[in-house]
Amino acid sequence: MRYVACASTEEEHNLTVFQYRRKIYYRASQVIPTGTELLVWIGEEYARTLGLKLGEHFKYEFGEKELLMKLFQDLQLKPVDSMSNHVSSQSQYLCNDMVAPMMQAHKTSYPLNNIGHTSSVFPLLEGTQNLVSLGRAQSRYWTFFGFQGDAYGRIIDKTKIICKLCGVRLSYSGNTTNLRQHLVYKHRRQYNDLVGTQGAVVDPQKHPESVLPCELASRAIVTPTVGRTTRAVADFIVRDLMPVEIIEGEGFIQMLAILDPNYKLPAISFLAHTILQEMYIQVKVKVVDLVKNLQDCSISLDLWKHSGTLSYLTLTIHFVDEVFESRNVMLSSRAVAEDLSEGSLISVLLDVAEEWGIRDNTFYAVGLNSSSVKVAALTVGWKSLPCVGQVLRSCIETVLQHHTIQSTLDRFRKLVAFVCSSPIKIEEMATHGPVLKVHLKMFLRDGTKWYSIYTLLQSIVDHSKYFKSLTETMSESEVVLQQDDWSILQDAVEILKPLAIATSTFTKDQFAGLSLVKPVITSLLYKHLAPNEWDSDFSKTIKKTIHEDLSFKYADHEVNRVLNLACALDPRFRGLDFLSQPDRVETLHLLKLEASNLAKLQTTEPTCVTPEPLNSKPPIKKVKQDSGIEFLLGDLCSVRNSSVSTVNQQAEQEISSFQTSEASSLCQDPLQWWKMHHTQYPLLARAARKLLAIPATSVPTNWLFTDAGLAVYRKRSALTAENVDMLVFLNGNRLML
């Protein structure tokens, strides 16, 4: 076997392999000159099952190829003459359920079914019969070959948990007495870390419930290193969120041929199922290790449409680390029902929470303000909070969808189209600055985009004199504006202005904090969008509609409690001046309870106590000094020691000091303030890490308020369904690569 190598392609092989009487033989398929290397082609799919990578750019260390090829020798087809003696009674264990065909169809006598797997008329050998696959080749986490029987089934059930976490790819062959004879798995280091050193060598026949021992690591074969160019191609797909099929494009192939003429692109299946899958597993192990140590987290729910009726829910976890830096990690993207039923959402949230172990350390979920999302989050144990970006979008669309403003915008669009269609008018418009020309073209192209409409309408209002003079030179048939159009447009701009400023305020950070929501909403309701006596009927109607919409979105008392608590921990809003006196008293009381409860939970965690030296002397007892003043006044004026104060008293003292300290600038980052002052308020600092970690929006704010979100979702929708979770996960956590 050591003199036979694997052919890189099917065309260059000079040997064929076949079985005769339970043995593997090689037969020359062509004339082999002296000194020519012996090459056999075993097929890409089967080579990937064995962990063997094909291609000219893959190099193996001495001994790797021999051991991998030994696996190929042990996986034998059962002779046809004894088939009838060993046919399994369970159809799910037939050969058509294998991950990959036992042999590629070098012979026409090996029929294949419609999925490309060996026909079910070939059961396996005695000793390897009922060799089954517990996962397909495209399985996201693991591929494991096992034996029939309840004993080994229990081994697999316990082992698959480890395989799912670290991406172990396991296979074994031969009879039941040499179960450990052949083991190939990937990511040995992560596997050993998860299993630990407690695994003992256990006889699987005597202890079938035991997990495979970590001693098997000594027989591991690490997958050969991927070439630099192949890795660069994989990084390109991940970072730009491109479909894997892009490598088959003519332009992409031509570009690589110019950059590296000797480079040979891997197959799409190999790139997706091996290289990208390994990257996915490596990052996932890091995320699992990070998430399992978190204490106070929140989740954002991003619902997006893929294609047709297929939608996905992407979950991102948010937390503030020990140095008060806001961090977020993308977890999973799961397909959900189009109707967003409670059952489908509950199933997805429970599955993700169980997979990542975040159910107990997560408290809030930011996403859609729908009843089904609220019920689903509550079922998992999370409090649902509305996304402020979607709330502001709803308010702006309320203005744009009003029939009066729609008809007015249509007439202005006709006027702008008339101006842009005349070269003479374009030259006249250029005298008013290049910005006007750009804004008018944007108004014609996408004037109804809710996040950019204010800027465009404001530009038109600022140049109203130009447009009015333009209409005076136009004939009556060309004039499309009505008498009240300018007043309606001015009212719309005044209403949209505070909403537009609010959206731009939240775009200062990638994920703006929740503490900014309540002050912004309060200022919109009771200041900027409050009705005035000089408002027109159109303005009063629009403001009333927005006021009702905002009040409804934030009518939940529990939601307002969370918003108020976040504000109370923000040094910019610590005075809570925008709250009524009863709400302020209630918020401070809840803050004391929150800080006290977190402190009590922290004290119950196990701590390392330094043992005293064996030769340490017993403490010297202090002699109580009795005096006349202590005798007379000791019971009335007992000296209070701050060290024995309760947690509640300490929390109350910290809140009092925090409330009376100097307020911070409105432009200061609250987490930067806490980074410098967390030692001064240790109990409040723990509460701040929990509540200031909650994002105000379900996605990065620039996705909501700019064109960046459209570009991201357009790329996501171009991915094939089987690669959505893997590529979105890698793209969202690309800094961990």
Side-chain angles (χ1 to χ4, degrees):
M1 294 267 319
R2 68 181 303 161
Y3 299 106
V4 180
C6 292
S8 300
T9 62
E10 187 173 3
E11 291 75 15
E12 69 177 13
H13 79 281
N14 50 30
L15 295 179
T16 57
V17 61
F18 67 97
Q19 176 192 359
Y20 179 72
R21 296 187 182 278
R22 300 190 180 184
K23 292 185 178 180
I24 295 294
Y25 293 90
Y26 294 96
R27 178 171 56 192
S29 59
Q30 56 180 286
V31 178
I32 305 176
T34 304
T36 303
E37 185 178 16
L38 301 178
L39 300 172
V40 64
W41 173 251
I42 64 174
E44 293 182 357
E45 294 294 330
Y46 187 52
R48 185 164 59 250
T49 301
L50 299 179
L52 185 62
K53 297 182 179 180
L54 303 180
E56 296 177 355
H57 53 289
F58 291 115
K59 303 297 181 183
Y60 287 87
E61 299 296 333
F62 179 79
E64 286 186 353
K65 185 261 299 182
E66 287 78 5
L67 187 52
L68 286 168
M69 289 294 294
K70 185 64 169 64
L71 291 174
F72 174 66
Q73 185 182 31
D74 288 338
L75 293 174
Q76 304 176 34
L77 290 174
K78 182 178 177 181
V80 179
D81 55 4
S82 59
M83 272 172 38
S84 58
N85 299 328
H86 303 287
V87 176
S88 172
S89 60
Q90 301 182 14
S91 61
Q92 67 268 29
Y93 294 137
L94 296 179
C95 201
N96 63 336
D97 283 331
M98 295 296 295
V99 170
M102 301 303 297
M103 298 176 64
Q104 294 290 330
H106 294 298
K107 294 184 178 181
T108 57
S109 58
Y110 290 169
L112 300 178
N113 59 19
N114 58 353
I115 60 173
H117 291 174
T118 309
S119 175
S120 59
V121 300
F122 294 106
L124 300 176
L125 270 176
E126 179 77 28
T128 60
Q129 74 268 26
N130 302 330
L131 186 64
V132 300
S133 164
L134 297 183
R136 296 293 180 191
Q138 65 271 23
S139 173
R140 183 180 298 116
Y141 304 113
W142 52 281
T143 304
F144 200 150
F145 291 103
F147 290 84
Q148 180 188 14
D150 295 335
Y152 294 103
R154 287 192 293 270
I155 294 178
I156 293 169
D157 288 339
K158 293 211 171 187
T159 308
K160 72 177 184 179
I161 300 175
I162 299 176
C163 299
K164 187 174 183 180
L165 285 175
C166 65
V168 177
R169 181 169 180 165
L170 299 172
S171 64
Y172 55 80
S173 60
N175 53 39
T176 56
T177 60
N178 62 358
L179 172 64
R180 302 184 184 90
Q181 181 178 0
H182 302 298
L183 172 65
V184 178
Y185 66 84
K186 301 176 182 176
H187 309 290
R188 171 172 51 184
R189 182 178 302 173
Q190 289 87 346
Y191 180 82
N192 293 341
D193 291 342
L194 287 172
V195 176
T197 59
Q198 292 81 9
V201 179
V202 182
D203 187 351
Q205 294 182 350
K206 295 181 180 180
H207 303 281
E209 73 282 357
S210 62
V211 178
L212 293 178
C214 63
E215 176 192 292
L216 296 174
S218 61
R219 299 183 181 268
I221 299 175
V222 180
T223 304
T225 305
V226 177
R228 187 175 65 175
T229 306
T230 303
R231 175 71 185 203
V233 172
D235 288 340
F236 160 72
I237 291 174
V238 168
R239 296 181 185 278
D240 285 355
L241 201 58
M242 292 294 177
V244 183
E245 293 76 13
I246 195 175
I247 67 172
E248 288 186 336
E250 182 179 354
F252 189 85
I253 295 175
Q254 182 180 5
M255 178 187 67
L256 284 182
I258 296 174
L259 296 176
D260 189 354
N262 298 323
Y263 177 70
K264 182 179 179 181
L265 269 171
I268 286 182
S269 57
F270 178 75
L271 181 64
H273 299 155
T274 302
I275 300 176
L276 290 174
Q277 188 72 19
E278 288 176 4
M279 295 171 63
Y280 172 81
I281 291 167
Q282 292 172 5
V283 176
K284 186 170 185 179
V285 170
K286 295 179 183 178
V287 174
V288 169
D289 185 60
L290 174 66
V291 170
K292 69 181 181 181
N293 297 320
L294 299 179
Q295 296 177 336
D296 306 309
C297 312
S298 58
I299 282 285
S300 60
L301 310 177
D302 177 19
L303 181 68
W304 53 279
K305 196 172 187 61
H306 181 265
S307 59
T309 60
L310 183 60
S311 298
Y312 281 88
L313 184 65
T314 299
L315 287 84
T316 303
I317 194 167
H318 304 260
F319 62 96
V320 174
D321 59 19
E322 295 179 353
V323 294
F324 285 88
E325 293 290 340
S326 179
R327 300 183 59 185
N328 57 85
V329 179
M330 192 170 290
L331 299 182
S332 300
S333 299
R334 300 296 175 84
V336 294
E338 186 180 13
D339 58 352
L340 293 180
S341 62
E342 294 179 4
S344 64
L345 289 174
I346 291 174
S347 177
V348 169
L349 294 183
L350 286 175
D351 186 33
V352 174
E354 182 68 22
E355 176 185 355
W356 296 95
I358 59 172
R359 185 171 184 179
D360 295 332
N361 61 352
T362 302
F363 300 93
Y364 306 102
V366 179
L368 296 176
N369 189 29
S370 64
S371 58
S372 57
V373 172
K374 292 179 180 179
V375 173
L378 188 61
T379 303
V380 183
W382 305 336
K383 178 62 184 175
S384 177
L385 302 174
C387 169
V388 70
Q390 297 174 0
V391 172
L392 293 176
R393 175 178 181 174
S394 175
C395 294
I396 295 177
E397 289 179 344
T398 298
V399 180
L400 299 179
Q401 292 173 0
H402 193 275
H403 62 89
T404 302
I405 192 66
Q406 280 187 344
S407 58
T408 302
L409 291 179
D410 289 339
R411 288 190 288 272
F412 270 99
R413 192 173 290 108
K414 293 179 181 178
L415 175 62
V416 173
F418 172 78
V419 173
C420 294
S421 63
S422 174
I424 300 177
K425 302 297 182 183
I426 293 177
E427 291 181 3
E428 294 178 359
M429 182 173 56
T431 60
H432 295 272
V435 177
L436 177 61
K437 181 179 178 180
V438 174
H439 284 167
L440 293 182
K441 289 185 176 180
M442 290 177 60
F443 181 68
L444 290 178
R445 185 179 67 249
D446 48 18
T448 57
K449 286 185 177 179
W450 67 274
Y451 50 81
S452 61
I453 187 64
Y454 166 73
T455 303
L456 305 182
L457 296 184
Q458 181 65 61
S459 180
I460 294 176
V461 170
D462 291 341
H463 296 85
S464 59
K465 292 183 179 180
Y466 164 72
F467 287 102
K468 290 179 179 179
S469 63
L470 180 64
T471 55
E472 293 177 356
T473 62
M474 298 170 60
S475 61
E476 295 183 0
S477 59
E478 294 174 337
V479 176
V480 294
L481 296 182
Q482 296 182 1
Q483 184 176 1
D484 297 334
D485 285 344
W486 283 107
S487 60
I488 292 176
L489 192 64
Q490 182 66 44
D491 290 341
V493 168
E494 291 179 356
I495 296 174
L496 290 174
K497 181 179 180 179
L499 295 173
I501 294 177
T503 59
S504 64
T505 301
F506 283 103
T507 58
K508 300 302 181 183
D509 299 319
Q510 184 184 20
F511 279 95
L514 190 72
S515 60
L516 189 61
V517 174
K518 189 60 178 286
V520 170
I521 298 300
T522 303
S523 67
L524 290 176
L525 286 175
Y526 301 105
K527 181 180 179 181
H528 300 291
L529 297 178
N532 298 313
E533 58 182 9
W534 57 83
D535 286 339
S536 64
D537 294 338
F538 169 75
S539 294
K540 291 180 180 179
T541 302
I542 295 297
K543 288 183 177 180
K544 180 181 179 182
T545 304
I546 295 177
H547 194 284
E548 293 175 352
D549 190 25
L550 283 176
S551 300
F552 174 75
K553 296 291 177 57
Y554 291 99
D556 192 331
H557 185 62
E558 292 296 327
V559 170
N560 279 279
R561 282 184 171 182
V562 178
L563 298 180
N564 294 341
L565 279 175
C567 293
L569 289 167
D570 192 322
R572 300 171 297 179
F573 314 121
R574 69 183 82 183
L576 302 177
D577 299 327
F578 50 87
L579 295 181
S580 63
Q581 182 62 25
D583 289 343
R584 188 182 301 113
V585 173
E586 180 190 23
T587 300
L588 296 179
H589 175 69
L590 293 175
L591 180 59
K592 182 179 71 173
L593 295 179
E594 181 74 21
S596 302
N597 293 335
L598 290 176
K600 292 175 183 177
L601 289 175
Q602 191 171 7
T603 56
T604 58
E605 297 176 356
T607 56
C608 297
V609 180
T610 304
E612 296 181 358
L614 297 177
N615 57 354
S616 61
K617 298 180 181 180
I620 300 176
K621 296 182 178 180
K622 294 182 179 181
V623 180
K624 184 177 181 180
Q625 300 292 334
D626 193 6
S627 62
I629 192 170
E630 290 182 354
F631 174 78
L632 293 175
L633 306 177
D635 295 336
L636 298 177
C637 303
S638 59
V639 179
R640 296 184 179 182
N641 191 345
S642 59
S643 62
V644 298
S645 61
T646 64
V647 174
N648 290 336
Q649 290 174 338
Q650 182 180 353
E652 189 172 353
Q653 292 173 2
E654 289 188 13
I655 293 173
S656 178
S657 176
F658 180 68
Q659 288 286 311
T660 56
S661 60
E662 184 180 358
S664 303
S665 169
L666 291 176
C667 298
Q668 184 178 15
D669 185 352
L671 292 180
Q672 293 299 317
W673 188 94
W674 278 107
K675 181 184 292 187
M676 296 183 293
H677 298 85
H678 69 277
T679 56
Q680 186 178 353
Y681 309 101
L683 299 188
L684 292 184
R686 172 72 185 274
R689 288 181 58 190
K690 174 182 177 180
L691 289 163
L692 297 184
I694 308 173
T697 56
S698 58
V699 295
T701 50
N702 64 320
W703 292 15
L704 286 170
F705 308 135
T706 65
D707 290 333
L710 295 177
V712 171
Y713 292 126
R714 192 180 298 114
K715 289 182 177 181
R716 286 184 178 182
S717 61
L719 304 176
T720 55
E722 67 171 333
N723 295 327
V724 164
D725 184 38
M726 175 178 65
L727 292 179
V728 171
F729 174 83
L730 288 174
N731 179 264
N733 303 313
R734 55 189 176 275
L735 296 180
M736 293 187 175
L737 289 172

